[in-house]
Amino acid sequence: MDLEKLLKEMTVFEKAMQCTQLITCFYRGVKLEDNTANAIGPYTKLGLKQSDIYLAGSVNFLCDDTGAMLPATELERIQKSCIENSPHHIPTIFMQDIIHGYVTVYPIPLAMAASFNTDAMEECCAMAAKEASLNGVHLTIGPMVDLSREARWGRVCEGFGEDPCLGSAMARASIKGFQGDDLGKYRLATCVKHFCGYGAPEAGLDYNVVDISERTLKEYYLPNYKAAIDAGATTVMSAFNVFDGMPITGNEHVLKGILRDEWGFDGAVISDYAACLELLTHGVAKDEIEAALLSMNATCDVEMMTTLYAQNMEKFINEGKISMSQLDDACMRVLKLKEKLGLFENPYRDSDYERAKESFCCEEHREISRKAAEESIVLLKNDGILPLNKDVSSVAVIGPLAHYGRILGAWNCGGRESDAVTVYDGLCNYLGKDKVFTSRGCDIYYAGTDESEIPAAVELAKKCEVVVLCVGEDQDDSGESASKSNISLPDIQKKLFREICKANKNVVALLFNGRPMAIEDLDADARAVVDMWFPGTECGNAAANILFGETVPSGKLPMTFPRNVGQCPIYYNHYGTGRPREDDSRRCWCQSAYIDSPNAPLYPFGYGLSYTEFAYGKPYVDKTVLQSGGDDCITVRCELANTGKYDGKEVVQMYVRDMVGSVVRPVRELKGFKKVFVKRGEKVTVSFTIREEDLAFYNAKLEKRAEKGAFRVWVGGDSTCSEYVEIELV
Ligand code: BGC
């Protein structure tokens, strides 16, 4: 397709409409002027004629009123109508938030990060891309790569946790999985979001003020987006939040300056839902005209569900407020995306509803999802009760999440509860129905006060050999707009837990959570605590395999788990302070210390137990001196012995500290990790490479440089590991 020629033939309005994203309901009977439509967003202000919908460059929310994904046949019909009813017959792009699975749901991204397994991440994304592309989707509005240290923020479940090294690795793997090498068959284009800094809202409150320094932004928050873009991500979403006084959608410094000029990103930038219009509510634009100009000038190319460009562009061009070349650039980025997707040749791409249906939750996809869940589950405590004995006489599966399908996780797209294997179902599949019993015990929500079901659960606990207690959050208690000021278990669940512990000494707690939770009580009184996160469709089967040792747990925490909400935000890679706390067990005067809580978290970043034992040797290096200014490297090695009773996988982590910097440096930073399989009784040597660029950071002028001097390098099984070796950059 000759895009230049096409562009020349298009009117200003047509170009502006390419820069507009609508949602599917308008193509399915909802009239643009319908005030009664049950929807979020500025539905009634679109100011378009019904026939204009066919000109929209892209379409989002590919679902019906119940949230179920539209069949490919329906998207084909909509596509056909767009092509037939638009003057230049330009196909539209179908976009959908595919965050952790399309119909077969795999663990939430935070859990995928806990797997520390980039191959699993890639495989899961490729699976989602296949199901979605067969069902007519062209682009996933993901991955969400917002780094976050905020357990209170519900959206941590969508991202990869608190560390940029882990987050970048997962971001790269996601792009590779969704897009493949060349956006070919069964692949989706991507939209990296939410650029940038959306994961740092004050007090963990969604959409709240973000006020971080440029240093913090660059050092911690930007690497994940950069990794995704370097991996070839096709589009980027501008976030709702402010950076340095300006909402990102109108922020020239970050969108133009960092993203385009510094990083060379030349794809389309799409606003978050109605974010262009929200420049008014933010109070940085006095009217829609100003809001549109700010967004356009920042090179936000596409408006999601607002029409400020479409309504005002002719006027802007006539008045010289926006130049034609500016509009052309924005429109061209959208057209080029269509070309990349091959939509001009084949507007239906991989669409094939019959095959799509066959792929949804097929055996192969269930297996991929189950394996990913098993890799992501983190064993937080075990006094030896796990793995359970297969000859167990009876198991009571108790708790609001025991026989509960809402364990797919937030943003589960086309996930269907009816496909989900509950913990109870999974244990029945494994042990047979006659040995497994269940009781809900209490309601799941914080508001729950009804204790009437507790006695029956207690009776059941008394009769069974082991209790698997399933507690935690409902899937919608994390995710967008799900901030919390209390990250403990709801009181009613705590009460149930206490009563069950009195009735049976063998309580294994399974925690379901989209965020770190404050669970000192579980840690104190359950014999084992297993973090399930939201594991997706194969939840129960994965749980059974872990509980009975068919799979040895190998997940590690991608976020620090605080003891209490007052410690938030808490993260391992913080800058050093002048008065670090010396002793966590006593009151420390004039030190950076709580008087009512240890500073240390309940579980640190990188932490997770196994059924086997791993013994680390002291790390050693091939040489201690690294020459700067070339491509010199040091190899750090460490022996890892599996001294326990099971074959198992371990996530070996390497942390670095720059002992003296021209600006303050983090107390340690993850610089590499490897997930290795070691047979029991065997030993492996794990190696990492350190180059000058791995030691670089932003100096006082915000230039990224490594500085000569001493560095400490730790290798171990979590972020508190103590064995290190010293190296020097000269
Ligand atoms: C969310 C985005 C999402 C968009 C469209 C917004 O509310 O912040 O993550 O992609 O809706 O679905």
Side-chain angles (χ1 to χ4, degrees), residues 122-334:
E122 190 182 324
E123 191 178 30
C124 282
C125 293
M127 165 182 88
K130 181 161 185 188
E131 291 186 7
S133 60
L134 280 169
N135 203 36
V137 183
H138 305 141
L139 182 147
T140 172
I141 310 182
M144 189 279 214
V145 303
D146 299 316
L147 182 134
S148 188
R149 304 156 163 179
E150 259 303 345
R152 292 171 292 182
W153 191 49
R155 299 198 82 169
V156 290
C157 68
E158 295 172 56
F160 303 129
E162 74 191 35
D163 182 76
C165 172
L166 175 61
S168 297
M170 287 294 161
R172 281 189 286 274
S174 307
I175 299 295
K176 182 119 195 280
F178 282 126
Q179 295 193 173
D181 292 329
D182 53 2
L183 264 185
K185 209 162 176 54
Y186 306 141
R187 301 291 182 166
L188 297 175
T190 53
C191 179
V192 177
K193 66 188 188 184
H194 309 80
F195 186 78
C196 56
Y198 181 42
E202 287 191 351
L205 192 59
D206 206 5
Y207 320 124
N208 198 15
V209 175
V210 168
D211 194 2
I212 54 175
S213 67
E214 179 114 14
R215 167 174 313 284
T216 297
L217 182 78
K218 289 198 148 142
E219 179 134 29
Y220 294 100
Y221 289 87
L222 288 187
N224 293 0
Y225 309 108
K226 175 78 162 51
I229 285 156
D230 288 347
T234 21
T235 67
V236 167
M237 179 183 287
S238 68
F240 289 129
N241 58 280
V242 165
F243 176 71
D244 198 16
M246 179 52 79
I248 304 293
T249 304
N251 193 319
E252 276 195 50
H253 172 58
V254 298
L255 288 188
K256 245 170 105 176
I258 298 178
L259 181 65
R260 298 211 188 273
D261 298 347
E262 228 179 274
W263 297 359
F265 178 71
D266 61 1
V269 171
I270 303 168
S271 82
D272 202 343
Y273 200 103
C276 294
L277 191 64
E278 285 175 17
L279 295 177
L280 263 80
T281 359
H282 273 290
V284 294
K286 74 169 183 302
D287 54 23
E288 298 188 358
I289 307 266
E290 270 191 21
L293 288 174
L294 276 171
S295 319
M296 212 41 206
N297 286 331
T299 70
C300 174
D301 303 309
V302 178
E303 280 181 271
M304 187 186 289
M305 264 311 281
T306 49
T307 49
L308 310 187
Y309 296 169
Q311 292 189 58
N312 298 300
M313 199 56 76
E314 306 226 14
K315 192 160 158 308
F316 290 159
I317 300 276
N318 291 340
E319 292 173 2
K321 287 187 172 137
I322 296 287
S323 68
M324 188 62 98
S325 74
Q326 228 178 323
L327 174 62
D328 283 354
D329 286 349
C331 179
M332 194 54 141
R333 287 193 274 262
V334 177

Side-chain angles (χ1 to χ4, degrees), residues 395 397 422-432 436 468 540 544 547-548:
V395 177
V397 192
T422 68
V423 177
Y424 170 71
D425 290 338
L427 290 182
C428 289
N429 293 343
Y430 189 83
L431 284 177
V436 189
V468 172
L547 290 173
F548 288 92

Side-chain angles (χ1 to χ4, degrees), residues 264-563:
F265 178 71
D266 61 1
V269 171
I270 303 168
S271 82
D272 202 343
Y273 200 103
C276 294
L277 191 64
E278 285 175 17
L279 295 177
L280 263 80
T281 359
H282 273 290
V284 294
K286 74 169 183 302
D287 54 23
E288 298 188 358
I289 307 266
E290 270 191 21
L293 288 174
L294 276 171
S295 319
M296 212 41 206
N297 286 331
T299 70
C300 174
D301 303 309
V302 178
E303 280 181 271
M304 187 186 289
M305 264 311 281
T306 49
T307 49
L308 310 187
Y309 296 169
Q311 292 189 58
N312 298 300
M313 199 56 76
E314 306 226 14
K315 192 160 158 308
F316 290 159
I317 300 276
N318 291 340
E319 292 173 2
K321 287 187 172 137
I322 296 287
S323 68
M324 188 62 98
S325 74
Q326 228 178 323
L327 174 62
D328 283 354
D329 286 349
C331 179
M332 194 54 141
R333 287 193 274 262
V334 177
L335 295 177
K336 279 193 175 155
L337 175 60
K338 298 186 178 192
E339 191 177 49
K340 230 181 197 171
L341 281 161
L343 293 177
F344 290 109
E345 285 73 49
N346 176 9
Y348 307 103
R349 262 179 79 93
D350 302 323
S351 179
D352 182 341
Y353 189 47
E354 287 312 311
R355 292 203 48 211
K357 279 190 295 188
E358 283 164 23
S359 76
F360 299 160
C361 291
C362 63
E363 276 313 305
E364 186 195 342
H365 288 188
R366 280 187 176 273
E367 167 102 0
I368 291 172
S369 163
R370 182 182 52 71
K371 280 208 209 131
E374 289 170 19
E375 289 272 330
S376 71
I377 290 169
V378 184
L379 180 61
L380 295 173
K381 175 186 176 183
N382 186 18
D383 73 354
I385 188 174
L386 294 181
L388 296 175
N389 190 329
K390 285 166 206 160
D391 298 328
V392 63
S393 57
S394 51
V395 177
V397 192
I398 294 178
L401 286 128
H403 195 20
Y404 196 59
R406 291 173 56 78
I407 37 63
L408 296 175
W411 286 110
N412 59 50
C413 199
R416 304 177 293 219
E417 256 178 70
S418 54
D419 289 324
V421 181
T422 68
V423 177
Y424 170 71
D425 290 338
L427 290 182
C428 289
N429 293 343
Y430 189 83
L431 284 177
K433 269 193 163 61
D434 51 336
K435 285 186 172 184
V436 189
F437 306 88
T438 191
S439 168
R440 189 174 87 125
C442 69
D443 191 8
I444 192 165
Y445 297 104
Y446 283 85
T449 50
D450 180 3
E451 297 183 4
S452 62
E453 291 176 66
I454 294 181
V458 167
E459 281 317 302
L460 180 63
K462 281 185 186 157
K463 283 191 216 136
C464 292
E465 192 179 330
V466 174
V467 176
V468 172
L469 188 73
C470 303
V471 290
E473 304 188 294
D474 175 74
Q475 62 185 12
D476 286 342
D477 282 356
S478 49
E480 185 169 358
S481 190
S483 300
K484 279 186 173 179
S485 62
N486 175 3
I487 54 169
S488 305
L489 289 175
D491 287 344
I492 189 75
Q493 293 194 40
K494 286 189 185 169
K495 165 100 184 176
L496 175 70
F497 172 61
R498 283 195 303 272
E499 296 302 318
I500 297 296
C501 285
K502 279 190 230 154
N504 189 315
K505 292 291 159 238
N506 298 326
V507 176
V508 174
L510 299 195
L511 180 69
F512 289 81
N513 51 323
R515 51 153 60 81
M517 290 184 75
I519 49 158
E520 274 192 309
D521 31 14
L522 292 186
D523 182 69
D525 294 328
R527 290 194 57 192
V529 182
V530 180
D531 194 348
M532 296 292 294
W533 310 104
F534 286 107
T537 310
E538 280 288 290
C539 168
N541 292 333
N545 283 346
I546 291 282
L547 290 173
F548 288 92
E550 297 296 337
T551 300
V552 172
S554 63
K556 300 269 189 172
L557 294 179
M559 277 187 90
T560 305
F561 269 46
R563 290 172 190 277

Side-chain angles (χ1 to χ4, degrees), residues 613-617 639-644 678-679 681-684:
E613 306 278 327
F614 288 107
Y616 281 85
E639 249 111 65
L640 176 73
N642 181 342
T643 56
V678 194
K679 279 187 169 301
E682 293 192 358
K683 198 188 237 190
V684 295

